[in-house]
Amino acid sequence: MSATTDHLSPRAVPFRVPTARVALKPLNTSSECVELDGAWWPRSRDLSHELPALADVLDPLWGRVTRIAVNPRYWPVIPPRIFVNGHVVKVGWFTAELDPHKILLLSYTAGRWDLLVVPPETSAPSAARLMAAASASTGPQSTASDLMTAEQADTSSSYEAAAGQLGRLAAGM
């Protein structure tokens, strides 16, 4: 006995890696030097996986990214090179010269960009505040470490305030 079905056989659908979470300042046409050009919130600490997605987003906006530098403090493995859109991007590291909360991207055609790196484990509200602060075109310029320190202070003071309020509620019961 044979059976006939109208169901189509399943087909493989290519998996597309989610695009990078990036916030950028508007293009700066003046010659003033800015500390940060925006922020990047990677999903993990795996640079081999995260950097291609970042460069893939930035290539059409800024020009071909040719080199990337990070501080190794928060990155367990730094690949010597990554492949993006058919070209090689060299990856390097600096300890004393580069803020540990920043990534440096270089392009032969368009120059240099510095992005705040929001740690992957950061909560969504904190990440949103950090990305907004790093990509704001107005206000005082802050370093990547200054922004991270300020956010940690805000988060801990909010936690302490909430714990104090919870303690007062519990004492009143």
Side-chain angles (χ1 to χ4, degrees):
M1 176 184 256
S2 64
T4 306
T5 62
D6 292 332
H7 299 288
L8 298 174
S9 60
R11 63 182 178 91
V13 177
F15 175 75
R16 172 104 171 114
V17 176
T19 59
R21 298 180 287 190
V22 180
L24 303 172
K25 283 186 179 179
L27 287 177
N28 187 5
T29 56
S30 72
S31 61
E32 79 178 59
C33 182
V34 295
E35 176 63 32
L36 293 169
D37 298 296
W40 172 49
W41 186 21
R43 288 174 170 79
S44 72
R45 295 217 180 260
D46 180 358
L47 285 176
S48 297
H49 180 74
E50 298 292 337
L51 287 179
L54 176 63
D56 188 41
V57 168
L58 298 179
D59 266 6
L61 298 173
W62 283 345
R64 178 181 263 188
V65 175
T66 55
R67 292 186 182 268
I68 297 174
V70 298
N71 184 309
R73 180 184 298 174
Y74 298 115
W75 303 105
V77 176
I78 300 172
R81 71 191 64 76
I82 58 169
F83 298 95
V84 179
N85 295 327
H87 72 279
V88 175
V89 177
K90 293 183 180 179
V91 182
W93 55 271
F94 297 98
T95 52
E97 301 87 355
L98 189 60
D99 185 319
H101 299 288
K102 189 162 68 169
I103 185 169
L104 167 67
L105 300 113
L106 298 170
S107 168
Y108 291 131
T109 58
R112 168 187 172 148
W113 304 280
D114 295 281
L115 298 178
L116 167 71
V117 177
V118 178
E121 59 276 0
T122 304
S123 69
S126 288
R129 285 190 296 272
L130 286 164
M131 293 179 81
S135 62
S137 59
T138 59
Q141 290 294 312
S142 297
T143 66
S145 285
D146 289 345
L147 287 174
M148 292 301 297
T149 301
E151 180 60 30
Q152 289 167 350
D154 286 349
T155 302
S156 64
S157 66
S158 296
Y159 175 77
E160 289 169 5
Q165 185 176 9
L166 185 60
R168 285 189 299 276
L169 287 173
M173 295 180 123

